[in-house]
Amino acid sequence: MKIAVLGGDGFCGWPASLHLSDLGHEVAIVDNCSRRRIDDELGAESLTPIASVDERLDAWREVSDNQIAFHNINVAEDYDDLVAFLRDFQPDAVIHFAEQRAAPYSMKSPRNKRYTVDNNVNATHNLLAAIVETGQDIHVVHLGTMGVYGYGTAGMKIPEGYLDVKVDADGTEVEQQILYPSNPGSIYHMTKVLDQHLFAYYAKNDELRITDLHQGIIWGTHTPQTLRDERLINRFDYDGDYGTVLNRFLMQAAIGYPLTVHGTGGQTRAFIHIRDMVKCVQLAIENPPARGERVKIFNQMTETHRVRDLAELIGRIAGAEVQMVPNPRKESAENELHVVNDAFLDLGLEPTKLEEGLLMEVEDVAKKYADRADRTKIPARSLWTAEQSEGVPQGEK
Ligand code: USQ
């Protein structure tokens, strides 16, 4: 298959591109390297030493039988270039990772909020409009988030995208399926909610074939392909904006920094290992919806855990101290989370279990590159509201 990976230089996009190329697909990455520029803006670096795009592609050519092409296009701004690329490459599938993906970064300032909305919503809409303009039958696979649902439930398991409802229409009971009500907790998560509606519209109006992957929090760094050469290594974010909770705890344990549990640590979230993420993307590509079918939604997660339980677990495994810090976010102190994830399991996904993989991540990644850590970048400084400033390290304005 010919597969375009928008955002193929990022944390999920890069290992997904390698995995698909390794399977023999013809892969073209489209990326404007915005994630690397944000590293410069924040003065933060990946814990792992990531190579330049050219070095990455050269290394892949050397260690595999396949080549990956690269196109530097800003999908959110360079619409004509995107259309020209699609006409020229004629992909069977486009995987859309080309969005700003950090909730704390999106909440830092009005500028960050506006950038995240402009970038993410325009990127998604440009892609959909460009596919319609070129008239090609391309399957779009989008990386969405579990955060579109919010993290509460009405005592039920969160279904895969759609909710069965019964409404009373003048005394007659009518059954319907609607998108599960959204409840985003950050501007970043809000952009994925807006994406969902764009997808629903284009699937209905233009019969585009679209799959939306509602992904949980990724943990881990390596996939079998990124391990083949150090120049292929994936990024590992640990800073207060881009570092996600479990990888942050792993890195903190490795350098002897007390694990930063926000508030009571009562938040329960969904998780998935990076190796399972690339497999899910493959399964999604192999199982597209038909033309005219509604958007296919998968819950791309394998386990749920409460943040303070994770901290205790890593504390036990790696001998780390746990510290409750004031929560910079506006989120409920405790939540239960129950999620349906049958679709990928039925397609053969065999999840990497947290208990089995954690120690390896601490030893092989976090400890190996611990000397690259900048401890000053660890505190989370992005506040959801001005009232939360008490006790939380202040962010740059
Ligand atoms: N947390 C801590 N301590 C930390 C960092 C985070 O207690 O040092 C807490 C947060 O307060 C939050 C939870 O851990 O309750 C998760 O935070 P996170 O930064 O790991 O995840 P989040 O901001 O939700 O975003 C990440 C990815 C995003 C993806 C999302 C999936 O950055 O791209 O969409 O996970 S989900 O969380 O399921 O919506």
Side-chain angles (χ1 to χ4, degrees), residues 45-50 221-222 233-236 365 369 372:
E45 266 190 304
S46 162
L47 188 68
T48 47
I50 52 170
T221 311
H222 296 316
I233 202 166
N234 198 18
R235 55 181 308 127
F236 182 117
V365 185
Y369 297 104
R372 289 175 45 87

Side-chain angles (χ1 to χ4, degrees), residues 311-333:
E312 274 163 27
L313 176 65
I314 295 169
R316 241 186 359 259
I317 292 177
E321 221 184 285
V322 176
Q323 192 186 14
M324 304 296 198
V325 299
N327 195 343
R329 308 187 184 198
K330 187 166 180 172
E331 50 189 11
S332 45

Side-chain angles (χ1 to χ4, degrees), residues 53-72:
V53 172
D54 286 344
E55 285 171 310
R56 280 181 157 185
L57 299 178
D58 287 347
W60 184 240
R61 204 173 303 123
E62 287 170 31
V63 303
S64 79
D65 297 332
N66 298 308
Q67 294 196 19
I68 296 179
F70 179 80
H71 301 263
N72 191 327

Side-chain angles (χ1 to χ4, degrees), residues 6-296:
L6 313 188
D9 185 45
F11 175 58
C12 289
W14 175 241
S17 300
L18 293 182
H19 178 70
L20 295 169
S21 176
D22 209 24
L23 290 171
H25 297 297
E26 184 179 343
V27 174
I29 288 176
V30 172
D31 203 296
N32 67 338
C33 299
S34 61
R35 182 65 194 89
R36 291 174 189 256
R37 274 197 299 280
I38 292 175
D39 268 351
D40 294 341
E41 174 192 322
L42 297 173
E45 266 190 304
S46 162
L47 188 68
T48 47
I50 52 170
S52 68
V53 172
D54 286 344
E55 285 171 310
R56 280 181 157 185
L57 299 178
D58 287 347
W60 184 240
R61 204 173 303 123
E62 287 170 31
V63 303
S64 79
D65 297 332
N66 298 308
Q67 294 196 19
I68 296 179
F70 179 80
H71 301 263
N72 191 327
I73 298 173
N74 181 337
V75 178
E77 290 181 5
D78 304 333
Y79 177 77
D80 292 342
D81 293 343
L82 178 64
V83 170
F85 163 76
L86 292 176
R87 285 211 165 106
D88 182 48
F89 185 57
Q90 306 231 337
D92 301 293
V94 172
I95 311 175
H96 174 27
F97 292 108
E99 294 179 275
Q100 191 299 99
R101 68 101 181 136
Y105 183 80
S106 79
M107 299 301 286
K108 272 177 112 61
S109 72
R111 182 184 71 80
N112 294 65
K113 291 177 184 174
R114 293 175 55 233
Y115 166 73
T116 303
V117 171
D118 292 349
N119 182 74
N120 293 5
V121 178
N122 281 331
T124 298
H125 189 247
N126 281 352
L127 172 64
L128 298 172
I131 291 175
V132 173
E133 181 171 341
T134 64
Q136 299 172 71
D137 181 19
I138 298 172
H139 176 206
V140 175
V141 177
H142 170 250
L143 194 74
T145 176
M146 285 295 299
V148 296
Y149 305 123
Y151 310 102
T153 63
M156 61 181 283
K157 281 187 163 187
I158 296 182
E160 307 211 52
Y162 298 96
L163 182 68
D164 296 322
V165 293
K166 289 180 185 158
V167 287
D168 181 355
D170 288 337
T172 314
E173 195 176 78
V174 179
E175 291 188 11
Q176 239 188 299
Q177 274 200 330
I178 58 169
L179 274 174
Y180 191 89
S182 57
N183 186 14
S186 73
I187 289 294
Y188 152 71
H189 288 100
M190 171 57 94
T191 62
K192 300 275 180 173
V193 169
L194 299 172
D195 286 343
Q196 279 201 113
H197 293 281
L198 290 170
F199 294 138
Y201 176 78
Y202 275 89
K204 180 189 70 169
N205 194 66
D206 300 282
E207 300 194 351
L208 294 196
R209 295 184 295 125
I210 302 170
T211 299
D212 202 2
L213 305 174
H214 288 185
Q215 182 168 274
I217 300 170
I218 296 266
W219 64 284
T221 311
H222 296 316
T223 61
Q225 292 79 28
T226 65
L227 279 169
R228 284 199 207 156
D229 187 304
E230 206 179 21
R231 290 169 296 166
L232 299 172
I233 202 166
N234 198 18
R235 55 181 308 127
F236 182 117
D237 297 309
Y238 66 90
D239 62 282
D241 287 321
Y242 274 87
T244 49
V245 64
L246 188 45
N247 277 5
R248 265 164 72 76
F249 287 173
L250 294 169
M251 173 272 180
Q252 291 166 354
I255 65 161
Y257 192 102
L259 311 188
T260 54
V261 172
H262 292 168
T264 61
Q267 280 285 312
T268 306
R269 296 291 180 106
F271 292 85
I272 182 168
H273 193 277
I274 194 146
R275 280 195 296 267
D276 294 343
M277 177 277 293
V278 301
K279 190 77 205 294
C280 287
V281 169
Q282 174 198 337
L283 292 170
I285 288 174
E286 291 169 354
N287 295 276
R291 246 186 121 80
E293 202 180 304
R294 70 179 183 187
V295 177
K296 197 165 183 176

